[in-house]
Amino acid sequence: MNRDRLVADLQLNKDKIWDVIVIGGGATGLGVALDSVTRGYKTLLLEQADFSGETSSRSTKLVHGGVRYLAQGDILLVKEALQERGIMLRNAPHLTENQEFVIPVYTLRDVILYTAGLKFYDLLSGRLSLGKSYFINRSRTLDRLPLLKADGLRGGIVYHDGQFDDSRMAITLAGGCVENGGTVINYFKVTGLLKNEEGKICGVKAFDLETGSNYDIAAKCVINASGVHTDEIHHMDNPEARPTIRPSQGVHIVLDKSFLQSSSAIMIPKTEDGRVLFAIPWYDKVVVGTTDTPLDTITAEPKPLDEEIDFILRTAGKYLTKPPSRKDALSIFAGLRPLAADPDNPTATREVSRRHKITLSQSGLLSIIGGKWTSYRRMAEETIDRGIKAGLLEKRKCVTKTFSFYSNVTKLRSERLRIYGNGAAEIERMIDEKPELARLIDPRLPYTKAEIIWICRNEMPRTIGDMLARRTRALFLDVRASAAIAPDIAGIMAEELKTDKNWRENQIEEYNRLILNYI
Ligand SMILES: Cc1cc2nc3c(=O)[nH]c(=O)nc-3n(C[C@H](O)[C@H](O)[C@H](O)COP(=O)(O)OP(=O)(O)OC[C@H]3O[C@@H](n4cnc5c(N)ncnc54)[C@H](O)[C@@H]3O)c2cc1C
């Protein structure tokens, strides 16, 4: 992935008609671009900021069917997601894990209810099951979760779901597109839609945020995968378009692993106000969070609300013998869920379905709305199939069900490096040649200089934020440690990306502003 080369290609082929242009480089858009390019369509994806810079790097990091949605009776949604869970764990084994969860239970009713519910969850996952669920008694529950409060505890229900690194998965999808001949460019904003004499969409107007150049780019099929910005693109097509998105904000707090002291995650299906609470081990830390709050404003960097932070800490403290407080938060992050709204009642605050929606406007704009990370592959398949059905694309079969993101057969000295997929072996070779590259940049974070250099050369980071938030997860794992290494990171990036003198200072300043939202 080399931005200069990809932009130069785009300039050289100014008169080219792309088969597919995808607007938005989150989970949805990248999934669509990969589906499209692997079917053999000439594919271009434009992302206005960084890949997965918005919602897709701020998820709970679960590859799941959604136990909660089962309780809401959305069985088909859960079944489809469980199937996709299995496919994602098989196709991206280097970025996914089988995670054990325990639901603590306090009444006989809950023992029966959750045991039955999770048996059904197992059943729905069929051949792609990650392990059977079962009841454990009180003492075995406390063995697994030593910091769980014991008062009134009857036992626990053990079950399995998947876990992953969301932004690394996004970068891997982008890499997969480029490897297969697609063009994906970050910091390139779609500013308008091109229409022919019949009023049909035939391309996009776009703006390169790095060079300031404007482009008119022609395409047979334009796909809007812009997450919470979907309606902005709809308005470019039709200023009268009705709202289709209902944003809803979720907050997560990252704590030291000493707050859980377990490799099992805790899931509390019903807290004091009926919301879910979970505490999940992730990269040697614990991510604690709850379900979302509906919101009216859309921003690229949503701010965690005070009441959300207080709710999470207070509720975690009710269940854990070591209650966390604000000063224990290593990082706090918020994400906006692009839920598909009811067009007749777009601001309804009741639970909006997690199911995705594909729409085709009169002028031929395909939009893919809502859904979840886990289902990105299926959503992409359905979107391209819809483009075929609408006559925008010639018929070709989807191949992503068996598309493997990891073919590394080399035995790694450091298993941790496998998150870089087939690049891990190359990072180890760099360390063999220059052993000093293996030194940790900061003892609080797992990253070495070798990784930072390799990322600069292969994964298209353009800012320190790209490097610290999404290529590595430093911002999410420990915001203060990430700020401490920002000057070193800026130095390495400036050298690798051959930036001008002011870049380093500007980047550090910008990063110091960014982290305020995460502290
Ligand atoms: C708090 C929270 C927790 C979640 N947890 C999970 C989970 O554990 N598991 C799971 O499966 N799902 C989870 N989800 C859902 C999942 O994260 C989302 O469904 C998914 O990331 C949405 O991806 P997206 O590509 O549609 O949106 P985004 O990631 O927001 O991507 C849209 C992109 O479009 C770009 N864009 C917008 N306008 C333009 C333009 N004009 N030109 C170019 N680019 C543009 C934006 O910059 C953005 O990067 C969670 C969601 C939230 C909010």
Side-chain angles (χ1 to χ4, degrees):
M1 288 166 73
N2 178 317
R3 192 180 188 279
D4 293 342
R5 185 182 62 72
L6 292 167
V7 174
D9 274 359
L10 185 64
Q11 269 167 345
L12 268 179
N13 293 295
K14 263 197 159 158
D15 301 325
K16 172 170 173 173
I17 301 178
W18 296 85
D19 291 319
V20 173
I21 292 181
V22 182
I23 308 171
T28 310
L30 289 163
V32 170
L34 185 73
D35 185 296
S36 168
V37 79
T38 51
R39 291 195 205 209
Y41 299 124
K42 284 176 278 177
T43 306
L44 170 67
L45 177 144
L46 300 175
E47 163 54 51
Q48 67 180 358
D50 189 25
F51 306 117
S52 73
E54 295 199 4
T55 310
S56 297
S57 56
R58 303 148 191 263
S59 78
T60 311
K61 287 100 176 82
L62 293 181
V63 192
H64 63 158
V67 175
R68 206 160 60 85
Y69 312 137
L70 197 60
Q72 290 158 8
D74 213 337
I75 292 168
L76 189 64
L77 173 75
V78 175
K79 186 165 192 254
E80 284 175 4
L82 283 170
Q83 238 173 33
E84 290 305 317
R85 178 187 78 172
I87 293 172
M88 193 156 152
L89 264 81
R90 187 186 63 206
N91 291 354
H94 59 307
L95 291 171
T96 52
E97 303 276 350
N98 182 339
Q99 174 64 51
E100 180 180 279
F101 282 76
V102 179
I103 298 184
V105 280
Y106 299 88
T107 63
L108 187 61
R109 181 189 162 276
D110 283 354
V111 172
I112 295 166
L113 186 73
Y114 294 128
T115 306
L118 287 161
K119 284 285 168 218
F120 189 46
Y121 194 66
D122 293 347
L123 195 74
L124 290 176
S125 62
R127 280 185 304 113
L128 295 171
S129 162
L130 298 183
K132 285 198 164 58
S133 62
Y134 51 94
F135 173 77
I136 50 176
N137 64 21
R138 178 186 151 97
S139 82
R140 287 182 63 204
T141 303
L142 291 171
D143 284 347
R144 273 194 165 75
L145 301 170
L147 296 194
L148 183 70
K149 281 186 182 166
D151 322 342
L153 185 73
R154 277 190 177 245
I157 321 290
V158 176
Y159 74 99
H160 292 256
D161 246 330
Q163 191 188 38
F164 77 131
D165 182 332
D166 48 10
S167 67
R168 291 238 31 104
M169 184 72 203
I171 305 303
T172 303
L173 285 168
C177 290
V178 174
E179 265 173 37
N180 283 276
T183 301
V184 300
I185 309 179
N186 50 6
Y187 298 98
F188 216 108
K189 183 179 170 85
V190 169
T191 51
L193 299 170
L194 302 175
K195 290 189 177 172
N196 62 20
E197 306 84 65
E198 285 127 50
K200 296 286 178 197
I201 287 174
C202 59
V204 301
K205 285 183 168 299
F207 175 70
D208 182 344
L209 281 100
E210 291 203 352
T211 61
S213 307
N214 284 295
Y215 291 74
D216 280 359
I217 313 170
K220 295 179 189 161
C221 175
V222 175
I223 300 176
N224 172 14
S226 56
V228 289
H229 303 276
T230 295
D231 289 333
E232 292 165 30
I233 309 292
H234 282 167
H235 284 129
M236 292 177 189
D237 179 24
N238 169 13
E240 310 283 293
R242 291 202 295 170
T244 57
I245 287 288
R246 176 80 180 117
S248 131
Q249 172 161 298
V251 169
H252 297 84
I253 299 179
V254 180
L255 299 169
D256 186 75
K257 65 179 175 187
S258 62
F259 284 89
L260 187 63
Q261 287 180 27
S262 173
S263 57
S264 301
I266 303 182
M267 158 76 140
I268 312 284
K270 220 173 200 172
T271 59
E272 61 186 26
D273 69 351
R275 279 194 279 173
V276 166
L277 185 91
F278 41 78
I280 309 170
W282 189 61
Y283 283 137
D284 223 26
K285 305 276 188 261
V286 184
V287 177
V288 189
T290 181
T291 40
D292 321 349
T293 321
L295 216 71
D296 292 323
T297 42
I298 292 176
T299 44
E301 277 295 334
K303 254 193 159 58
L305 305 172
D306 271 341
E307 56 266 33
E308 290 174 306
I309 299 172
D310 289 341
F311 173 81
I312 293 171
L313 292 172
R314 189 177 66 245
T315 314
K318 275 192 174 171
Y319 291 90
L320 298 172
T321 52
K322 184 179 170 187
S325 69
R326 277 187 182 243
K327 67 175 178 11
D328 300 311
L330 296 172
S331 182
I332 305 177
F333 60 95
L336 295 183
R337 200 185 288 268
L339 295 177
D342 174 358
D344 293 323
N345 194 4
T347 55
T349 48
R350 68 175 166 73
E351 186 87 16
V352 191
S353 170
R354 259 52 172 171
R355 181 165 287 282
H356 59 275
K357 235 190 221 169
I358 299 169
T359 61
L360 180 69
S361 76
Q362 283 200 333
S363 49
L365 178 68
L366 256 186
S367 295
I368 164 79
I369 306 163
K372 50 201 245 180
W373 236 122
T374 308
S375 308
Y376 84 92
R377 194 210 62 81
R378 188 187 178 104
M379 291 159 57
E381 178 177 353
E382 288 178 16
T383 307
I384 296 290
D385 282 349
R386 183 74 183 270
I388 294 172
K389 204 168 153 211
L392 299 169
L393 296 167
E394 69 182 61
K395 191 166 181 181
R396 290 183 193 165
K397 263 184 92 174
C398 170
V399 297
T400 52
K401 242 184 204 164
T402 52
F403 183 90
S404 171
F405 293 100
Y406 192 60
S407 56
N408 201 348
V409 283
T410 323
K411 177 98 187 87
L412 296 171
R413 285 192 302 271
S414 165
E415 262 303 293
R416 193 187 62 77
L417 291 180
R418 74 189 187 124
I419 53 170
Y420 301 105
N422 301 334
E426 215 173 299
I427 296 174
E428 290 203 330
R429 268 197 301 279
M430 286 167 66
I431 291 172
D432 288 340
E433 278 163 27
K434 275 194 182 174
E436 67 273 21
L437 295 183
R439 203 166 35 84
L440 290 182
I441 297 178
D442 185 289
R444 289 169 289 180
L445 293 164
Y447 308 112
T448 60
K449 189 170 175 187
E451 286 160 77
I452 305 300
I453 295 175
W454 182 87
I455 289 169
C456 286
R457 294 177 187 172
N458 293 282
E459 293 191 333
M460 234 154 109
R462 310 304 294 173
T463 68
I464 314 185
D466 299 347
M467 181 66 82
L468 292 177
R470 293 169 289 277
R471 308 302 186 282
T472 70
R473 306 314 305 269
L475 175 65
F476 289 78
L477 295 173
D478 189 332
V479 61
R480 290 173 190 84
S482 82
I485 65 171
D488 282 350
I489 298 294
I492 301 169
M493 288 182 74
E495 207 175 307
E496 284 294 321
L497 305 182
K498 306 199 174 17
T499 61
D500 65 39
K501 259 202 339 269
N502 298 331
W503 185 88
R504 188 170 179 269
E505 300 317 313
N506 291 342
Q507 282 291 308
I508 296 170
E509 231 173 76
E510 199 177 298
Y511 191 69
N512 285 337
R513 268 196 305 274
L514 171 75
I515 62 168
L516 296 178
N517 268 354
Y518 294 76
I519 285 182

